[in-house]
Amino acid sequence: MTTIRDIARQLNLSVSAVSHALNGYPDISNETRQRVLLAVQEMGYTPNQAARQLRGKRVGALGYILPAHMPRFSDPFYSEFIAGLGDESASHQVGVLITSARPGEADEQRIYQEWVQAQKVDGFILNRLAQYDWRVRYLFEKGFPFVGLENSLDGIDFPRIEVDSQAGMHLLVRHLVERGFRRLAFIGGPESLKIQHDRLDGYRQALAEYNLPQNSEWVQAGDLTSARGYELARKLLAAPTPPDGIVCINDQTAFGVLHALNELGYEVGRAVALTGFDGVVNAEHTQPPLTTLNQPVYEIARRLVQMLLGEIGGQPACERSVRLQPELVARASTAGRVDSQP
Amino acid sequence: MTTIRDIARQLNLSVSAVSHALNGYPDISNETRQRVLLAVQEMGYTPNQAARQLRGKRVGALGYILPAHMPRFSDPFYSEFIAGLGDESASHQVGVLITSARPGEADEQRIYQEWVQAQKVDGFILNRLAQYDWRVRYLFEKGFPFVGLENSLDGIDFPRIEVDSQAGMHLLVRHLVERGFRRLAFIGGPESLKIQHDRLDGYRQALAEYNLPQNSEWVQAGDLTSARGYELARKLLAAPTPPDGIVCINDQTAFGVLHALNELGYEVGRAVALTGFDGVVNAEHTQPPLTTLNQPVYEIARRLVQMLLGEIGGQPACERSVRLQPELVARASTAGRVDSQP
DNA sequence: TTGTAGGCGTTATCAA
DNA sequence: TTGATAACGCCTACAA
């Protein structure tokens, strides 16, 4: 491994001269600097991260812990999100250290603590925030930099991006009403999740506003997977008064619901409407294509990295909280109501 | 930050005593060891990675560079794969350092080099191998540990998992023939990719074996995305002699093809058959559900991590090359041929 | 069984 | 403008 000493020896310079030349200090002759740069090129030298870090510099890595609930964890949201994190951090010459943990389990806590303690990363990106989130309180208390997608209710003001779920749900419900659907069910996610509350509240408020019937049986708690969406859809449709529209907390859930609807012979978009939330690419290619609320996942991920790097670099973003409006993407799954039971 | 010295001071011990106690040396009294362990617990001490690494130990991170071709990169294959990498590495107390780079571009090369040079990671996991892969040659030459999903043709024997694409294609084509489909097209990926060659070869061999018609217009080069699958399907079906079956290199491509087929009014599974490759969860929920060759992506990722850790720890796997057979998952998209043109 | 000392590669401080 | 030297936190011979 080529070290800074090798360069120094090669050029008959001192280590510190080389270091200065490399780190852009102004007190080095231009000629020397050129010689150093050349040698670095030729000998293929890259500063050793560990040594640098030990000396008090940044680690050059951001932490992200994938909330993988289950072994066969599969959600295109995350490939987009991670690609966004990766692209943006690569462009700033930092990496993203990733591992996965089942949310809420002891392991998860251990990993966060360890990465903080051992200084494995310079900061964290959080998503899938809980209403009251242990991670937020812990990191804040430690003074460790972090940013989040969504907020928590812990009363801590951290840099974050929020997607206006409630406004989105209003858009969606209005759209459904306009297309003639009135008996709207909601398939959500785990109780503890912040987005579950926001989206469910949005759904309820919108129902009230448009004088739509409310029915506690129409609200089901899923787990953000297609498999669960599939099951709950069958359950909903077997009820005495089945809904004529199903609003899902995310696209992945909607895919499962769509499967069930197709299998049961419903004409989706006509007899029953269906909507998702996220705007993943796959939603465009379902049969029928899925109406959804698009969040610019890739851009959000990039922005989060920017905010976090600012935070780490000691330049806290002037705007602590960025609020984005999801965009309604109307597709055939909500084409318009026509009575035709299977 | 709590350091090993803090612990030592607290207990009136020397640093090395603590170090020994922690690293399981036998020359420490049991009582002392207990006291140390307790203090470590109480004071929340975790060894500093950087210092440890500088001292010649492992970094505690594996590298994976996501081959993200495009901004809105979205493929459930990767969320499964990354979850597998994350879960397995977490259980061995190491992380996965991830970034993304467009395959083949200069950036990609720079990142690999930098991570090797700066010792950011202990080893690499490669996938999407090219027929002749720069990364394989580079890492091998540097003596840097790595494992791969798929092989390359560089004549280098590295630890890897291979999925028998050719056998898989045989299964698939036989299945299609049995169901009455004979004019089979193939939508593949970029020329340079190893899997493109393997799967295309498998397709061609199987066609020959079953005396099926070959037609160069039926072989299209996509890019593994749904969007491109959608376009190419429309092109294929507009041809003078359209196929009655479309074999896709991966599920994601097949999703786009399915969209096109549905849109054009084909009865998928009857008039035209469609198959994917990967076995992502979403393939189960399409309309109709997609016949595909299942690879145990999650398990593969875990196994790769195990192999890589063995390699790093100086215990090269006895089996350098694990060969897996993909499993045919027959679903409605290949139900059986019935003549009914739209 | 415990303590002392040297060094891993960098950067920062100070002196030349 | 450059050079010597001291940390950073940890591990490990070797000495006590």
Side-chain angles (χ1 to χ4, degrees), chain A residues 175-194:
Chain A
H175 170 78
L176 287 164
V177 169
E178 285 170 1
R179 301 298 173 102
F181 303 97
R182 294 184 52 82
R183 303 198 311 279
L184 306 182
F186 180 81
I187 299 185
E191 262 300 312
S192 54
L193 243 47
K194 183 62 166 42

Side-chain angles (χ1 to χ4, degrees), chain B residues 45-105:
Chain B
Y45 163 80
T46 318
N48 179 303
Q49 271 301 319
R52 193 171 230 184
Q53 183 188 346
L54 198 51
R55 202 57 197 78
K57 288 283 185 187
R58 307 271 97 87
V59 186
L62 311 178
Y64 176 64
I65 293 171
L66 193 66
H69 296 269
M70 47 195 47
R72 192 127 206 192
F73 174 76
S74 182
D75 189 334
F77 176 91
Y78 288 96
S79 48
E80 273 194 56
F81 192 70
I82 292 172
L85 298 181
D87 279 350
E88 186 64 25
S89 54
S91 81
H92 295 276
Q93 333 273 13
V94 306
V96 182
L97 194 65
I98 292 192
T99 190
S100 68
R102 271 161 260 296
E105 291 195 8

